[in-house]
Amino acid sequence: MNKGVMRPGHAQIRVMDMDAAVRHYRDVVGLIETHRDTSGRVYLKGWTESDKYSVVLRETDRPGMDFCGFKVFNNDVLDSLARDHKAFGCKVEEIPVGELDDCGRRIRFDSPTGHLFELYAEKTRTGRWGLTTVNPEAWPRDLKGMKVKRFDHCLFYGGDLDGTLALFTDVMGFHLAEQVMDGDLRVAQFLTCSMKEHDIAFIRNAEDGKLHHVSFELGSWEEILQA
């Protein structure tokens, strides 16, 4: 049963060289840089995304991901899910409005695989990048690189796949869309909160808290070949 989680909304990625990372995500992947905040983080989005950003880059000496966020229907859902996560046994932290620019309050929680996730209901909406609301063109004229459309999903590595499956299905209302079994042991699981094949995935790994990839949507196999 869906409990009000709509879709993956953003990921904050740790990078070790901000200039090189921006060149990669903006000029090669084709995300659009929307702005930078006072702490030096860089915000980017896919050109079809309505919200102001979906990827945040933070420069540090240790690569990986700080957190992955999901958008929920409204703040009542946010409060309800915060209570449910606490009852499940998660460590829940409320992140105030403005800690991420142009984003409302967020609920951050840990998971059995050692990853941090968060939920939010409000983010500034900018609409499709570079397109007018009256007689818009089919796509912006100045897209770069792979011209990715939107942030799609993340795949994580960790040990307790059963615990994380329970967290996402029982607490957050996701569905198990696909799994890979080695006998009785589940070694991979793909979960969805929407009509997509999956919105998040996990691979069993001895070390917790690892990121395998962040994925972006393209429109065709021809575009993937070009990418």
Side-chain angles (χ1 to χ4, degrees):
M1 180 182 68
N2 188 291
K3 296 190 177 182
V5 181
M6 298 169 61
R7 55 176 170 78
H10 57 239
Q12 181 164 295
I13 302 170
R14 299 191 301 270
V15 301
M16 298 177 68
D17 183 331
M18 183 62 82
D19 290 339
V22 170
R23 286 194 298 271
H24 172 73
Y25 284 99
R26 183 190 62 200
D27 301 340
V28 179
V29 176
L31 294 173
I32 297 155
E33 181 181 339
T34 60
H35 73 293
R36 304 187 181 204
D37 67 19
T38 56
S39 66
R41 292 181 295 187
V42 178
Y43 296 68
L44 306 105
K45 67 176 291 179
W47 72 267
T48 69
E49 293 173 335
S50 295
D51 288 347
K52 189 170 183 179
Y53 57 86
S54 58
V55 172
V56 181
L57 305 180
R58 183 175 72 89
E59 190 170 34
T60 182
D61 60 358
R62 184 171 62 93
M65 179 175 290
D66 288 325
F67 51 79
C68 176
F70 293 86
K71 192 169 189 177
V72 304
F73 287 143
N74 54 44
N75 281 301
D76 289 339
V77 170
L78 195 62
D79 291 334
S80 176
L81 286 171
R83 293 190 293 269
D84 291 344
H85 280 82
K86 290 177 182 177
F88 184 81
C90 295
K91 296 177 182 177
V92 176
E93 179 184 6
E94 174 134 357
I95 310 298
V97 175
E99 193 280 332
L100 278 178
D101 283 0
D102 300 292
C103 189
R105 53 186 279 260
R106 293 133 59 206
I107 299 297
R108 185 176 297 166
F109 58 94
D110 63 352
S111 65
T113 47
H115 301 93
L116 291 177
F117 297 100
E118 57 182 40
L119 307 171
Y120 69 97
E122 299 171 344
K123 186 184 288 181
T124 298
R125 295 172 62 86
T126 57
R128 293 191 172 197
W129 188 262
L131 300 180
T132 62
T133 56
V134 178
N135 296 329
E137 296 192 68
W139 52 80
R141 295 283 184 171
D142 57 350
L143 295 173
K144 298 178 180 180
M146 300 177 190
K147 304 178 178 65
V148 296
K149 297 169 67 176
R150 62 174 176 83
F151 167 45
D152 189 82
H153 69 267
C154 295
L155 187 149
F156 297 103
Y157 278 10
D160 189 357
L161 263 62
D162 293 338
T164 297
L165 177 64
L167 171 63
F168 274 82
T169 56
D170 297 346
V171 179
M172 296 173 65
F174 281 60
H175 298 281
L176 179 64
E178 188 175 354
Q179 60 185 339
V180 178
M181 303 295 293
D182 181 7
D184 294 330
L185 182 68
R186 186 185 308 104
V187 296
Q189 57 196 27
F190 301 82
L191 299 135
T192 181
C193 61
S194 65
M195 297 298 290
K196 285 164 50 187
E197 290 84 355
H198 57 275
D199 292 298
I200 194 167
F202 296 89
I203 302 292
R204 189 176 296 275
N205 186 62
E207 190 173 359
D208 281 339
K210 293 297 184 180
L211 168 69
H212 185 272
H213 68 252
V214 178
S215 180
F216 302 93
E217 184 186 79
L218 288 169
S220 69
W221 282 109
E222 181 182 5
E223 292 180 9
I224 293 173
L225 177 62
Q226 182 180 0

